[in-house]
Amino acid sequence: MHGHAITDFVTLGCSGLRVSPLCFGAMTFGTEWGIGTGPDESFAMLDAYLASGGNFIDTANIYTKGHSEKILGDYFTKGPGRGKRDRVVIATKFMGNLWPNDPNGGGASRKAILHAVEDSLRRLQTDHIDLLWAHFWDRHTPVEEMMGTLDTLVKQGKVRYIGLSDHPAWVVTKCQYTALMNRWEPLCALQIEYSLLQRTVESELMSMARDLNLGVTPWSPLRGGVLSGKFDRHTPPPDDGSTRVKKESNYLNERSYALIDLLREIAAERGCTVAQAALRWLLDQNGVTSVIIGARHSNQLQDNLGACAVRLTADDHRRLDEASKVERPFPWDFLDMVKAGIQN
């Protein structure tokens, strides 16, 4: 279980890299996707995050068509963060294609990875990436090619640590053992969607991550804002583009509303906001290293940062676990049934 301050740093998986329990996600830096914020507000949020003591920032080459990386680069080279670049952990991702009609513009081939990393380094205006993620699974590239290329980048000093984002558990395991068998740089982290409204990852991905000692950094911990507490049966999301949650969202249903009601009750008892209670539940999950928080405004960021100080009781966890319970896939139901027979 995490401590109760953002400066209660944790090591990322099997590495010695120390990161904040709340990671600042930079997907909202830039307005090219219609959901983000401009450089000035992005700079202000970075100021606030670093002032709080946080040290972990997550972006990707494709976020706002490369502008997210450029804003980060500007901040640390000629903005308020000048001179602070080496005091933070900057994570970015390759895989997404920024070059229409170029079949090698994205993916996990050696050609694609090396080009993507050079482009990211230029936008970030730095000589190294602290943590490089494979953004999602490229089914067309052998894992040996991807892992070998990532090892080369680490040996060149252009990348410090490597991780996988949004890959099936069996692929992650294959990648890790391919690296270990070849004495290549091992994976130290796993980025996946995880929240009170996305618990299907617990059966395979989370148990695998704990076994392989991969630090888990969940994204969308508030399910895009559904768990923020702003919406309920009587208050649907507005149509003005101020939120990523759409009225027709599959997550706006009676089960979610009941969960939000419970979060509201627990938040009132603990003296925190609904979002903070949802984030704290995730911070307390076994295997979670650093939760990625995103914000479009400084007030949202400050609210999210307050989750570190929240304390949930065992009964709070029991009630939230029950309200958000999901059916586990085979063979877990069968294994639960026969467990007693094994122990006898």
Side-chain angles (χ1 to χ4, degrees), residues 95 107-110 113 137-146:
M95 199 70 77
S109 71
R110 185 173 292 108
I113 294 174
W137 181 28
D138 176 1
R139 304 163 194 242
H140 305 291
T141 301
V143 298
E144 293 81 2
E145 182 174 348
M146 179 177 76

Side-chain angles (χ1 to χ4, degrees), residues 112-336:
I113 294 174
L114 295 178
H115 278 300
V117 166
E118 293 298 337
D119 288 345
S120 285
L121 290 171
R122 277 194 290 273
R123 285 188 292 266
L124 290 166
Q125 299 160 67
T126 185
D127 63 359
H128 71 281
I129 294 162
D130 294 304
L131 172 61
L132 181 65
W133 301 101
H135 203 161
F136 35 85
W137 181 28
D138 176 1
R139 304 163 194 242
H140 305 291
T141 301
V143 298
E144 293 81 2
E145 182 174 348
M146 179 177 76
M147 296 305 295
T149 305
L150 294 177
D151 179 69
T152 298
L153 286 165
V154 172
K155 287 183 168 61
Q156 289 175 343
K158 294 179 180 179
V159 171
R160 300 288 192 256
Y161 300 91
I162 57 174
L164 297 186
S165 171
D166 306 330
H167 283 64
W170 71 267
V171 178
V172 179
T173 304
K174 185 175 182 181
C175 286
Q176 186 70 319
Y177 278 94
T178 297
L180 293 173
M181 287 189 294
N182 286 282
R183 297 187 178 180
W184 292 338
E185 180 69 18
L187 303 164
C188 70
L190 177 71
Q191 186 172 146
I192 51 176
E193 183 180 359
Y194 189 15
S195 72
L196 278 163
L197 288 175
Q198 173 47 287
R199 293 183 59 193
T200 62
V201 296
E202 291 174 349
S203 293
E204 300 293 340
L205 286 159
M206 286 301 299
S207 45
M208 173 209 66
R210 289 191 293 269
D211 188 66
L212 295 180
N213 199 7
L214 300 176
V216 176
T217 66
W219 58 266
S220 201
L222 299 177
R223 185 73 285 283
V226 174
L227 292 170
S228 66
K230 293 185 292 188
F231 315 116
D232 55 32
R233 296 174 188 83
H234 313 294
T235 314
D239 289 325
D240 58 7
S242 61
T243 176
R244 290 170 57 198
V245 185
K246 307 298 182 189
K247 285 182 179 179
E248 61 273 15
S249 168
N250 293 333
Y251 290 93
L252 292 178
N253 53 39
E254 183 51 39
R255 191 166 185 268
S256 296
Y257 293 141
L259 177 61
I260 292 166
D261 287 344
L262 176 59
L263 280 167
R264 199 168 274 140
E265 182 182 328
I266 289 172
E269 293 168 357
R270 303 293 154 243
C272 66
T273 66
V274 168
Q276 288 169 350
L279 289 170
R280 187 69 231 187
W281 176 88
L282 191 52
L283 281 165
D284 290 342
Q285 298 309 303
N286 184 18
V288 168
T289 297
S290 184
V291 174
I292 301 173
I293 54 174
R296 293 173 65 180
H297 307 290
S298 294
N299 60 339
Q300 290 177 326
L301 175 63
Q302 292 293 351
D303 182 76
N304 287 351
L305 290 173
C308 280
V310 174
R311 285 171 166 79
L312 297 182
T313 67
D315 189 57
D316 294 337
H317 274 282
R318 181 191 60 77
R319 294 159 71 196
L320 288 169
D321 289 349
E322 186 61 34
S324 61
K325 188 177 181 180
V326 292
E327 186 176 342
R328 297 210 291 172
F330 180 86
W332 294 102
D333 52 350
F334 174 77
L335 292 174
D336 289 342

Side-chain angles (χ1 to χ4, degrees), residues 26-35 58-70 72 91-100 105-107 112 115-117 119-121 123-124 132-137 165-166 191:
M27 191 177 75
T28 55
F29 290 5
T31 58
E32 285 76 5
W33 283 359
I35 58 169
D58 182 79
T59 187
N61 68 327
I62 58 170
Y63 287 171
T64 56
K65 302 180 181 180
H67 197 191
S68 174
E69 287 184 329
K70 176 68 163 54
L72 278 172
T92 193
K93 310 178 190 74
F94 70 90
M95 199 70 77
N97 193 337
L98 283 167
W99 306 98
H115 278 300
V117 166
D119 288 345
S120 285
L121 290 171
R123 285 188 292 266
L124 290 166
L132 181 65
W133 301 101
H135 203 161
F136 35 85
W137 181 28
S165 171
D166 306 330
Q191 186 172 146

